[in-house]
Amino acid sequence: MTQILNKQAYQLFHEGVLAFADIEDTGIRVDVPYLKTQYKKLTKQLAQVGKEIKDDKQAKQWRSKFGQKTNYNSTTQLSTMLYKVWGIKSTKSTAKGNAAVDDSVLSKLDLPIVKSILQQRKIMKIRDTYILGILNEQSDGYLHPSFNLHFVSSFRSSSDGPNFQNQPVRDPIAGAIVRKAFLPLDSNHCFGEVDYSGIEVASNACINRDPNLIAYISDPAKDMHRDVAGDCFILAPERIGKMIRYVGKNGFTFPAFYGSYFEQIAPAMWNAIDEHDLKTEDGVALKIHLASKGIKTLSKFTAHIKKVEDIFWNTRFKVYTKWKKDFYNQYLKNGYIDIPTGFRCWGPMRRNEVTNYPGQGTAFHFLLWSLIQIHRWLKANEMETKILGQIHDSIVFSFHKDELQDILKKVQQVMCRDILKRFPWICVPLKVEAEVSPIGGTWNDKKGIEIE
């Protein structure tokens, strides 16, 4: 159960609904001929991969086991073949205790039939979830997805028809195929995004007031993700490159902030070392470096990450730790939590939800307030540039080429400076980053751009 506590909170969502209604009406232009061509190409690829699976020597064993009921897409049959027939040792279990056959497990198996099944899954998802999903929802070459403010317990937004917030980005192949279908509104427009950089970390700092977290955000000379990666991999700062920092950030820092713990974090980080072939800046393979520190196995790495976790919460961010404990105890006493922007969440919640919802909801409300002001300014000044949608921490635009820099300056002013008047308790600097395509380019063509 949720509740709006005050007039300002109500006004934020009321104005947000009106802004999103305009944005939904504008729509998002998509390349229908391209989508249809990709659908046909992917269908041919699926047929080819299906033939490769059927012709594989291990598929004969599969057919011998299941006969006419053979289904290479069946996870139950795949599990039987892997763990009972071929004798492969299970490395992960499902919630029900069964041996898992998800992509993270299969990607580590060096079997041709498994590699083909993974490829089949990927192609099928791109074709049926994304390409077909867009084709089914488009009307005259436009999508009009809904942006909702009443479904998510943390008072963030959601999207459907289709879910514009769930288009692929992490998988470079799927991302490129799908995002090439999204076009700016006109041939003299640029497709672009403006992203709040690290906004959930910033919103959490505004709530828990941890001085070290505030210092990391406020001081450009400090680098939290580099320092944490240094702890995780026992490295001096000068030996930490972009990818090691990336694994520290996404493998430890963010999972820890969102409630994961060392026994879940360590295996993923250990695997990421091999996945990204991580090396120090002076060229030493990271696992060789760790071995020189006495860490040669996952079990020893897990024990090490446990110590890093203790330092992270009880030394580096001890004020944040105290806030989480006090806030959760307050929830147990009251049965609800309040988000600083004027919203209340009632009812059963897990510990992680209790301590994550305030930062998540607040971060979105910063973005929503900014989106409303920018949308209002664009309309009042009769600009050709339009907002197309919102994805997590970013606002998506179709920029008119002659308005680009003026609008980027205005967006930065609203999102980083004007917002301080609306939420005066913001105690850290807010930052935005922009990515824009060439004129007439697709969503996939966007690249980072400096705001002049």
Side-chain angles (χ1 to χ4, degrees):
M1 185 172 67
T2 56
Q3 180 181 353
I4 295 177
L5 296 178
N6 56 50
K7 183 178 179 180
Q8 279 192 323
Y10 167 79
Q11 197 70 23
L12 178 67
F13 269 27
H14 179 90
E15 293 175 357
V17 168
L18 296 178
F20 277 134
D22 280 350
I23 292 165
E24 292 162 13
D25 184 59
T26 297
I28 304 164
R29 195 162 71 99
V30 292
D31 189 337
V32 175
Y34 166 82
L35 287 163
K36 290 180 177 179
T37 299
Q38 287 301 311
Y39 185 87
K40 291 177 181 178
K41 285 183 179 179
L42 293 167
T43 300
K44 288 181 180 179
Q45 290 177 25
L46 276 176
Q48 178 61 35
V49 174
K51 185 177 183 303
E52 291 173 4
I53 293 172
K54 188 175 181 180
D55 291 345
D56 189 278
K57 62 182 181 180
Q58 289 184 307
K60 296 177 182 178
Q61 294 177 284
W62 196 317
R63 290 192 294 272
S64 176
K65 176 71 176 175
F66 292 101
Q68 293 183 345
K69 294 182 179 179
T70 297
N71 178 2
Y72 302 118
N73 292 319
S74 167
T75 56
T76 301
Q77 291 186 18
L78 177 58
S79 178
T80 298
M81 296 305 297
L82 287 174
Y83 304 122
K84 295 182 180 179
V85 177
W86 299 330
I88 294 171
K89 185 178 179 181
S90 171
T91 58
K92 181 180 177 182
S93 298
T94 66
K96 294 183 178 180
N98 299 319
V101 288
D102 58 30
D103 289 2
S104 66
V105 171
L106 298 185
S107 63
K108 297 178 179 65
L109 301 180
D110 189 21
L111 294 174
I113 192 170
V114 169
K115 291 180 179 179
S116 294
I117 288 171
L118 276 174
Q119 187 180 7
Q120 184 184 60
R121 286 182 180 182
K122 177 183 283 190
I123 295 170
M124 197 173 294
K125 183 168 185 178
I126 296 171
R127 187 193 70 172
D128 296 346
T129 300
Y130 299 117
I131 300 295
L132 189 59
I134 295 169
L135 282 171
N136 287 341
E137 293 287 354
Q138 65 85 24
S139 176
D140 296 327
Y142 282 81
L143 294 175
H144 298 275
S146 297
F147 296 93
N148 312 299
L149 296 177
H150 61 295
F151 288 143
V152 183
S153 298
S154 61
F155 290 98
R156 289 179 295 173
S157 66
S158 65
S159 176
D160 58 79
N163 185 353
F164 183 60
Q165 299 174 341
N166 192 38
Q167 301 306 309
V169 61
R170 292 184 180 178
D171 183 323
I173 296 175
I177 291 172
V178 175
R179 292 187 173 220
K180 284 179 182 177
F182 288 82
L183 305 171
L185 293 175
D186 197 270
S187 60
N188 61 357
H189 279 224
C190 311
F191 204 106
E193 284 186 62
V194 177
D195 179 82
Y196 254 138
S197 178
I199 189 61
E200 286 193 17
V201 176
S203 64
N204 273 299
C206 294
I207 295 168
N208 60 58
R209 300 283 166 156
D210 186 295
N212 282 341
L213 188 57
I214 291 171
Y216 269 122
I217 299 169
S218 304
D219 185 349
K222 292 181 177 291
D223 187 335
M224 173 172 60
H225 303 306
R226 180 201 62 200
D227 290 353
V228 172
D231 290 345
C232 290
F233 299 122
I234 319 176
L235 287 170
E238 63 271 13
R239 301 187 73 193
I240 299 171
K242 182 178 179 180
M243 282 309 301
I244 289 179
R245 181 184 182 278
Y246 171 87
V247 171
K249 172 183 175 181
N250 294 285
F252 185 96
T253 306
F254 284 154
F257 275 150
Y258 287 116
S260 190
Y261 67 106
F262 71 96
E263 287 186 337
Q264 297 171 325
I265 288 171
M269 294 190 76
W270 187 254
N271 291 334
I273 295 173
D274 292 328
E275 180 184 348
H276 298 290
D277 190 23
L278 294 183
K279 292 180 173 64
T280 64
E281 284 297 273
D282 51 348
V284 179
L286 192 53
K287 282 198 173 175
I288 291 176
H289 162 75
L290 289 172
S292 73
K293 302 294 183 181
I295 300 174
K296 300 180 180 180
T297 64
L298 173 58
S299 62
K300 289 189 176 181
F301 186 67
T302 302
H304 169 66
I305 291 299
K306 183 180 181 180
K307 295 177 183 177
V308 173
E309 180 183 79
D310 180 69
I311 293 169
F312 186 85
W313 285 120
N314 296 317
T315 301
R316 195 183 298 278
F317 298 122
K318 60 184 180 181
V319 173
Y320 194 169
T321 300
K322 184 178 186 303
W323 173 86
K324 289 202 301 180
K325 181 179 179 180
D326 292 345
F327 195 72
Y328 183 67
N329 286 335
Q330 184 180 345
Y331 161 72
L332 293 178
K333 177 181 177 181
N334 299 329
Y336 63 82
I337 60 171
D338 287 344
I339 294 175
T341 44
F343 300 85
R344 176 171 291 175
C345 306
W346 291 84
M349 285 178 275
R350 298 188 299 273
R351 180 187 293 267
N352 286 349
E353 291 172 330
V354 170
T355 54
N356 288 338
Y357 281 0
Q360 292 172 349
T362 298
F364 169 67
H365 299 156
F366 291 168
L367 185 78
L368 179 61
W369 183 87
S370 299
L371 180 147
I372 293 165
Q373 315 314 310
I374 296 163
H375 174 67
R376 184 179 293 156
W377 181 82
L378 292 173
K379 287 183 67 176
N381 289 276
E382 299 182 346
M383 307 297 271
E384 294 292 326
T385 294
K386 305 291 182 185
I387 295 176
L388 302 180
Q390 171 261 325
I391 302 178
H392 308 308
D393 301 335
S394 69
I395 302 173
V396 180
F397 292 85
S398 181
F399 291 105
H400 188 282
K401 64 181 180 66
D402 295 333
E403 300 172 349
L404 177 60
Q405 277 299 334
D406 287 340
I407 289 174
L408 286 177
K409 289 178 185 177
K410 180 65 177 180
V411 167
Q412 186 178 59
Q413 175 187 319
V414 170
M415 297 177 73
C416 300
R417 296 187 290 277
D418 294 352
I419 194 171
L420 303 179
K421 300 173 185 177
R422 171 62 178 80
F423 302 104
W425 41 269
I426 293 175
C427 62
V428 293
L430 302 182
K431 302 174 185 177
V432 295
E433 297 174 347
E435 293 184 317
V436 178
S437 77
I439 298 168
T442 71
W443 193 1
N444 189 61
D445 298 324
K446 65 185 178 63
K447 294 182 180 179
I449 183 174
E450 292 291 329
I451 302 176
E452 297 175 358

